[in-house]
Amino acid sequence: MAEHRTMQRGALLDAARSLLSEGGTEALTFPALAERTGLARSSVYEYFRSRAAVVEELCAVDFPVWAAEVELAMADADTPDAKVAAYVRTQLNLVGDRRHRAVVAISAGELDDGAREKIRAAHGGLVAMVVEALADLGVPEPRLGAMLLQGVVDAAVRRIELGAAEDPTVVADAAVSLALHGVTGPTPF
């Protein structure tokens, strides 16, 4: 029985990822989850008490996987500027991934304070990954710099998500260049 419940919970989370990546937070409804999984709507409530609870679980399950990919890419880079570039590019390369699209969609959603705090904590862990590289580059306030850098990444994610005129590679190149050289710096890394 426990295995069956785990499978159904996984199916609900997978359906939630799909709904969020297809239609944003508005698409994540319990009737839609029930329809996607073939469960009765009342069954969905047995697993999750609210949309915020679905979001919290998605963050708990998906964000660490996404962050691990960023961390691995940074570990493979051998210089501080290559680490910053890996931090930016890996996040932007994940834009097409349903896990990432779901996290982006829910970050703007109407969530309760507990869900918001879990998302903030997850983002804080991601931002912390790049602080040392920024310090090694001589950034005077590396923690602040890391938060601002994540703002550049978030803006680039939104640009790609919106289907901007630029190719995603051009957006990534511009974000890396801005991160490493500022607005008047040389061409992309």
Side-chain angles (χ1 to χ4, degrees):
M1 184 66 169
E3 185 178 322
H4 180 67
R5 286 190 60 80
T6 301
M7 287 175 52
Q8 285 187 326
R9 188 177 205 88
L12 285 165
L13 289 174
D14 200 44
R17 286 181 195 98
S18 294
L19 289 165
L20 285 165
S21 67
E22 292 164 12
T25 51
E26 302 80 35
L28 180 60
T29 65
F30 280 25
L33 284 171
E35 183 180 324
R36 287 279 172 109
T37 58
L39 295 172
R41 191 183 318 178
S42 60
S43 294
V44 177
Y45 284 99
E46 290 177 28
Y47 292 92
F48 300 104
R49 69 190 184 289
S50 65
R51 288 179 357 144
V54 177
V55 167
E56 284 184 52
E57 182 126 354
L58 280 174
C59 284
V61 171
D62 291 348
F63 204 93
V65 175
W66 175 34
E69 291 180 42
V70 173
E71 192 170 28
L72 183 62
M74 289 180 69
D76 286 344
D78 54 359
T79 64
D81 50 350
K83 287 182 186 304
V84 171
Y87 177 84
V88 172
R89 285 191 194 284
T90 304
Q91 289 186 66
L92 298 179
N93 287 341
L94 290 169
V95 169
D97 184 299
R98 282 185 325 134
R99 289 174 322 219
H100 178 268
R101 289 207 313 256
V103 169
V104 168
I106 59 184
S107 65
E110 70 292 339
L111 304 173
D112 63 27
D113 289 340
R116 265 200 203 90
E117 186 50 43
K118 285 184 178 167
I119 291 171
R120 262 195 295 274
H123 265 261
L126 187 64
V127 168
M129 288 182 200
V130 77
V131 171
E132 184 179 343
L134 292 175
D136 290 345
L137 287 171
V139 172
E141 295 284 338
R143 223 169 258 303
L144 174 60
M147 288 184 268
L148 296 174
L149 173 59
Q150 188 59 43
V152 169
V153 172
D154 293 343
V157 165
R158 283 190 300 279
R159 186 85 183 153
I160 292 169
E161 285 281 333
L162 290 172
E166 306 89 6
D167 183 89
T169 304
V170 172
V171 175
D173 288 346
V176 169
S177 180
L178 184 62
L180 293 174
H181 308 294
V183 292
T184 60
T187 57
F189 178 77

